[in-house]
Amino acid sequence: MRLRWVSLGLAGLLMVVAIGAMAVKGFNFALDFTGGTETEIHFRKPADVEAVRQKLEAAGYHGAQVRTFGSATDVVVRMQLQKDGARQSGTDILNAVQTAENPGVLRDSYYVGPQVGKELAENGFLAVLFVVLGFLAYVWMRFELKFAIAAIIATLHDMLLVCGWFALFGIEFDLAVLAGVLSVMGYSINDTIVVFDRVRENFRNLHKLSPAEVLNRSVNQTLSRTIITSFVALLTVLALYFYGGDSLQGMAISQVLGIVIGTLSSIFVASPLLLMMGVTKQDLMPKARDEAELNARP
């Protein structure tokens, strides 16, 4: 807690940078949000998806999504429209990816609309809003209003930093990334509640300590659990990043960032916010408890 103003100032600065990146640069939306063309190709032999993607990059078709469907010899290539709105030619895509050793046949090429339209985007925003309000109500009922506000601010801080990272570096933002960002909310609020639960317990049992001492002790008592849990979760997501293929790397990146940032925020953001809002033992102590009994405690 001695470093709370440093940690809160750094967290606030990072949030400003993230919001600025989203406002100025925006997101590099994938086909799920923008729409594009979809080309189905049948190869004579099983196709190497990564090799097909590299051939498309070399031919100037950047950001293509390549997946097999049905069998290893059937490949679907999804690409955004050109800057002038024109569609890519299926024949040109076929010529770019086939080889003499493994020729292909163009099955179909057609336009696909965005999966996330305006109405769905608005519904998604409302869903996130309801989740935030639900978190606020749950933590408020389980703890106290100051705890709820601190938990929600810490969770929003984590989401903003993850989204800001994608905006700042122009990493492609698709539905898988969106799912990863939303999962950050659940991870972050869970990590914060574990710390807050120990804070509540220590406020009731160690009421003679100052709030800063109680928060320090609570964070230290849950620190090993926080680090071990985060480390195991991080190993799982790193495996997804390295072995899950190109289509899942964006989601893996969002979850790696969410785990690291969420762990740090539960220690260096949520608890200092409680202290800044002036949390005391009176916020959690039963009002009708005998004062003599309280003074007999450590």
Side-chain angles (χ1 to χ4, degrees):
M1 295 304 106
R2 180 173 56 86
L3 300 174
R4 62 186 182 276
W5 296 115
V6 176
S7 62
L8 289 177
L10 182 60
L13 177 62
L14 291 175
M15 288 177 69
V16 171
V17 173
I19 294 173
M22 288 185 285
V24 176
K25 297 190 64 175
F27 292 103
N28 178 21
F29 288 116
L31 271 73
D32 300 326
F33 295 89
T34 63
T37 58
E38 188 166 296
T39 303
E40 298 177 5
I41 301 174
H42 173 75
F43 289 93
R44 179 181 299 175
K45 302 176 183 178
D48 185 343
V49 173
E50 187 60 33
V52 171
R53 188 178 296 111
Q54 291 175 0
K55 287 185 176 67
L56 290 170
E57 287 285 339
Y61 298 108
H62 304 294
Q65 297 179 3
V66 183
R67 296 184 178 91
T68 57
F69 72 100
S71 67
T73 57
D74 294 315
V75 171
V76 58
V77 178
R78 301 187 65 193
M79 303 182 63
Q80 293 185 6
L81 298 178
Q82 299 176 13
K83 293 182 179 180
D84 57 1
R87 305 179 186 179
Q88 289 84 356
S89 169
T91 303
D92 292 340
I93 294 175
L94 172 63
N95 293 333
V97 299
Q98 69 177 347
T99 61
E101 295 79 14
N102 193 12
V105 177
L106 180 64
R107 287 281 182 83
D108 201 358
S109 183
Y110 48 88
Y111 171 75
V112 291
Q115 297 181 30
V116 181
K118 181 179 179 181
E119 182 179 356
L120 186 56
E122 292 175 352
N123 292 337
F125 172 77
L126 291 176
V128 172
L129 180 61
F130 289 144
V131 169
V132 170
L133 293 177
F135 283 163
L136 183 66
Y138 169 73
V139 182
W140 188 357
M141 289 187 296
R142 181 171 175 178
F143 297 95
E144 196 264 347
L145 181 59
K146 293 176 182 178
F147 286 78
I149 294 174
I152 291 301
I153 293 176
T155 302
L156 293 178
H157 159 271
D158 301 342
M159 286 190 62
L160 283 175
L161 262 58
V162 173
C163 292
W165 180 280
F166 278 83
L168 185 63
F169 294 99
I171 304 173
E172 191 174 62
F173 196 98
D174 56 15
L175 286 177
V177 174
L178 180 60
V181 172
L182 293 178
S183 69
V184 169
M185 292 184 65
Y187 181 87
S188 176
I189 199 74
N190 175 74
D191 214 20
T192 302
I193 286 177
V194 169
V195 178
F196 282 1
D197 201 44
R198 185 57 59 90
V199 171
R200 177 177 61 178
E201 180 181 336
N202 284 338
F203 261 128
R204 290 177 174 176
N205 296 328
L206 306 172
H207 74 287
K208 291 183 179 180
L209 297 181
S210 67
E213 292 173 324
V214 170
L215 289 170
N216 267 331
R217 182 169 298 191
S218 302
V219 170
N220 285 327
Q221 288 173 347
T222 57
L223 190 60
S224 60
R225 177 265 174 203
T226 300
I227 293 177
I228 292 173
T229 304
S230 301
F231 179 71
V232 173
L234 188 62
L235 288 179
T236 305
V237 179
L238 286 176
L240 183 66
Y241 175 81
F242 288 111
Y243 302 108
D246 185 72
S247 60
L248 294 178
Q249 281 191 352
M251 183 177 71
I253 291 173
S254 66
Q255 292 185 329
V256 167
L257 292 172
I259 290 172
V260 174
I261 296 172
T263 301
L264 293 175
S265 71
S266 65
I267 299 172
F268 295 107
V269 177
S271 297
L273 281 173
L274 276 180
L275 194 60
M276 187 182 71
M277 289 188 291
V279 66
T280 63
K281 57 181 177 292
Q282 283 75 22
D283 294 321
L284 293 171
M285 295 298 291
K287 301 298 186 291
R289 191 65 64 89
D290 182 26
E291 188 68 26
E293 179 184 348
L294 294 178
N295 290 329
R297 291 188 174 187

